[in-house]
Amino acid sequence: AHIAISECEKRLALQGRKVVIITQNIDELHKRAGSQNIIELHGNLFTTRCTKCGDVAKNYDSPICAALKDKGAPDPEAKDAKIPVNELPRCKKGGCGGLLRPHVVWFGEGLHREVLAKTNEELEHCDLCLVVGTSSVVYPAAMYAPMVAARGVPVAEFNVESTPATHQLGYHFQGPAGETLPSALTRHESEPQDS
């Protein structure tokens, strides 16, 4: 599905048309598939933010610091990760040394104002909306497709099951997005051939 979206974005760009991916995912799979126009509502797991100076930087280190090596398996019985604070990942910008955290939105945190503004701007001007693989229960993202549909814009949902928003949208394609989306996004015979 990610590759189908990326290929559609490239094909339509050659026609002077714009595709924007607004995603709740934090995994960079859209970027890895080749998409360019991506709004990450909930941030990006491969980006850190300093809790002291606010610096945001890409970070593909795995683990992010030596103290986190072999700490990936969750232990529901653990009361504490037992990692000394001085061994946690630190900001390297200008000797700051502040604690780093993933630059993602955790439950209970609000979305970043700039991301919301950019998302609203894109949704205000879109002429087609595809909703792919979401439960449609996490807000504010859950309100976007019904909001666009209420403006009379065609909205198609691609999902393994119906969601609370399904009845408000124009079209529902049931099944895994990797199976339903590629055929929906293939070049239509009325489109010019890619050069």
Side-chain angles (χ1 to χ4, degrees):
H2 293 86
I3 292 168
I5 292 168
S6 172
E7 289 172 353
C8 179
E9 178 186 7
K10 289 175 187 142
R11 187 179 77 247
L12 294 180
L14 293 172
Q15 300 172 29
R17 298 165 70 193
K18 180 177 169 185
V19 172
V20 177
I21 295 97
I22 300 170
T23 183
Q24 296 177 82
N25 297 337
I26 60 172
D27 54 20
E28 281 196 354
L29 289 179
H30 284 290
K31 180 180 177 184
R32 288 176 52 198
S35 288
Q36 300 294 311
N37 253 341
I38 307 166
I39 299 173
E40 295 170 313
L41 289 174
H42 295 160
N44 183 306
L45 193 56
F46 301 102
T47 305
T48 57
R49 182 173 73 238
C50 178
T51 58
K52 184 177 176 184
C53 74
D55 183 56
V56 175
K58 285 292 182 188
N59 190 316
Y60 293 96
D61 296 344
S62 183
I64 193 169
C65 69
L68 295 176
K69 185 172 174 30
D70 300 322
K71 299 283 185 188
D75 178 1
E77 304 300 318
K79 292 186 173 131
D80 187 316
K82 297 181 178 128
I83 300 171
V85 172
N86 64 333
E87 293 181 24
L88 291 174
R90 298 289 175 164
C91 180
K92 299 172 186 167
K93 183 177 182 183
C96 170
L99 281 173
L100 293 179
R101 60 162 281 178
H103 189 48
V104 298
V105 176
W106 285 328
F107 285 103
E109 295 179 337
L111 298 182
H112 297 280
R113 218 173 300 132
E114 309 82 36
V115 172
L116 282 173
K118 188 174 179 183
T119 299
N120 287 326
E121 174 73 19
E122 292 297 341
L123 291 172
E124 177 109 358
H125 295 99
C126 75
D127 57 9
L128 173 67
C129 179
L130 306 181
V131 181
V132 183
T134 183
S135 62
S136 290
V137 296
V138 177
Y139 283 83
M143 70 181 185
Y144 292 145
M147 179 180 74
V148 170
R151 282 193 4 245
V153 173
V155 177
E157 180 182 54
F158 294 80
N159 213 339
V160 292
E161 59 192 10
S162 295
T163 69
T166 300
H167 71 282
Q168 299 172 58
L169 311 178
Y171 306 92
H172 176 78
F173 299 91
Q174 191 157 337
E179 294 174 13
T180 57
L181 199 57
S183 61
L185 296 181
T186 58
R187 187 186 73 79
H188 187 268
E189 62 189 32
S190 65
E191 288 182 76
Q193 290 284 344
D194 295 343
S195 13

